[in-house]
Amino acid sequence: MDRFQELSAFIAVVESGGFSAAARRTGESQPAVSKAIAALEKRLGVALFNRSTRSVTLTDQGQRYYDRTKPLVDEIDDADSELTSSTQAVSGLIRISAASTFGRLHILPLIPELLSLYPGLQVDLVLSDFVRDMVEDRIDLAIRVGPVEDPDAVVRRVAVTPLVCVGSRRYFEKHGMPRTPADLSEHNCLLYGGLADLAKWPFSGPHGRFSVPVRGNLSSNSVETIRAGVLAGVGIGLFAKVSLADELNHPDVITILDDFLEDGRDISLVWPKRRFVPARVRRATDFFAAAVPQRL
């Protein structure tokens, strides 16, 4: 069997998560994919996968082999794309990650347009408020809101979103409205991420930037949870504006302390730093760099 066929089958099984899915992706039969993997493992003299009735996972040797061979396959695909100079030639799987709320509101609506532009692409969209390890989770492109502290990543800033401090009319009618950041000490502040007893919200004033310790009875690593708590009248929340959509136009949602919120949050495209970046990643990066700012 052709070694490139073996390698292509191996990559497909890894990225599809199983032999049946890999067969659908490559257009081959499942027996053909299994035969290719068996031939590859026999030639290498190692087991590349742990197989069970429920899952197929890489062995340590399989992971090392994937890490070494995946860039080679990408480079071959990229060479084909450059020669054809066609959107049809941009193909393959691209794994994109984004924060849950931001991804749902601003990235997911763009995916149909991306797939229409590049019909050969397969998108795996990972929505999570946890910052993913791009290498470990095989993320090709991350779209992040906020600072990026990763020396092994390339960062392309595409927009800035303001911060907004909001509460519901129901909450303010019951507890009053803060007039200065210092007044937040008397209010229930709902906390996204981090430890509740260490939470500080950033503000700006005549003398520069400062932070205010805040506390509340609800904290979560999910923006959706904090957002729902604010809308239900539980307390006050501080958000990147992109995490709120129509809520800011609702008469029961009130923004406060606008004069003290000068800082914003960067929206960046982030991908692993490596010698070779596949054409599908470059094209998707350019697409989102143009499309995301138009939604804000």
Side-chain angles (χ1 to χ4, degrees):
M1 179 174 287
D2 182 85
R3 292 179 65 176
F4 188 74
Q5 288 180 308
E6 296 174 355
L7 188 53
S8 297
F10 169 70
I11 297 294
V13 172
V14 174
E15 295 184 345
S16 301
F19 286 79
S20 297
R24 291 192 295 270
R25 174 178 168 178
T26 60
E28 301 285 347
S29 66
Q30 182 175 341
V33 173
S34 298
K35 182 179 179 181
I37 299 301
L40 179 60
E41 289 181 322
K42 181 178 180 180
R43 181 168 59 79
L44 296 174
V46 297
L48 299 172
F49 294 100
N50 296 308
R51 299 166 173 85
S52 71
T53 55
R54 294 184 177 181
S55 64
V56 177
T57 59
L58 284 169
T59 63
D60 290 343
Q61 295 96 328
Q63 183 64 60
R64 289 197 296 270
Y65 191 66
Y66 175 82
D67 292 340
R68 291 292 302 274
T69 57
K70 171 62 172 172
L72 301 177
V73 174
D74 283 341
E75 194 154 3
I76 292 172
D77 290 341
D78 195 56
D80 291 345
S81 298
E82 287 187 357
L83 285 177
T84 58
S85 299
S86 168
T87 58
Q88 297 291 334
V90 178
S91 62
L93 176 69
I94 180 168
R95 199 158 196 239
I96 301 170
S97 73
S100 297
T101 302
F102 174 73
R104 176 177 61 82
L105 293 175
H106 301 288
I107 303 306
L108 182 57
L110 293 173
I111 297 302
E113 183 181 350
L114 176 66
L115 292 176
S116 176
L117 189 60
Y118 302 111
L121 278 183
Q122 295 171 292
V123 173
D124 181 7
L125 182 60
V126 181
L127 298 183
S128 172
D129 285 337
F130 291 101
V131 176
R132 316 289 298 196
D133 184 306
M134 289 188 292
V135 175
E136 181 178 340
D137 292 338
R138 300 197 296 274
I139 300 297
D140 296 300
L141 178 64
I143 307 172
R144 294 183 180 171
V145 180
V148 179
E149 299 177 0
D150 187 345
D152 296 321
V154 180
V155 181
R156 180 178 177 181
R157 189 178 74 168
V158 296
V160 177
T161 179
L163 293 177
V164 289
C165 196
V166 303
S168 71
R169 186 175 301 278
R170 183 189 334 175
Y171 175 87
F172 292 131
E173 288 176 349
K174 185 175 182 179
H175 300 282
M177 186 178 296
R179 301 299 177 184
T180 70
D183 294 340
L184 291 173
S185 63
E186 303 299 323
H187 287 268
N188 195 40
C189 298
L190 309 189
L191 309 174
Y192 167 67
L195 300 175
D197 58 348
L198 297 178
K200 293 183 179 181
W201 284 357
F203 295 96
S204 296
H207 303 292
R209 298 178 181 178
F210 62 97
S211 60
V212 173
V214 294
R215 59 183 179 178
N217 59 10
L218 176 62
S219 62
S220 177
N221 62 359
S222 165
V223 173
E224 291 282 355
T225 300
I226 301 303
R227 181 170 162 271
V230 168
L231 298 178
V234 176
I236 298 170
L238 182 68
F239 300 89
K241 188 176 180 180
V242 290
S243 295
L244 303 174
D246 296 335
E247 292 85 356
L248 292 177
N249 297 320
H250 196 285
D252 290 332
V253 176
I254 300 173
T255 62
I256 60 172
L257 305 176
D258 290 346
D259 292 341
F260 298 94
L261 290 169
E262 296 182 359
D263 286 348
R265 292 287 181 267
D266 288 346
I267 300 175
S268 303
L269 305 177
V270 186
W271 60 94
K273 186 183 296 183
R274 54 193 177 190
R275 182 180 64 85
F276 169 75
V277 179
R280 61 181 177 274
V281 177
R282 297 200 306 270
R283 299 289 181 88
T285 299
D286 290 340
F287 169 80
F288 286 115
V292 168
Q294 295 179 10
R295 295 189 58 85
L296 306 183

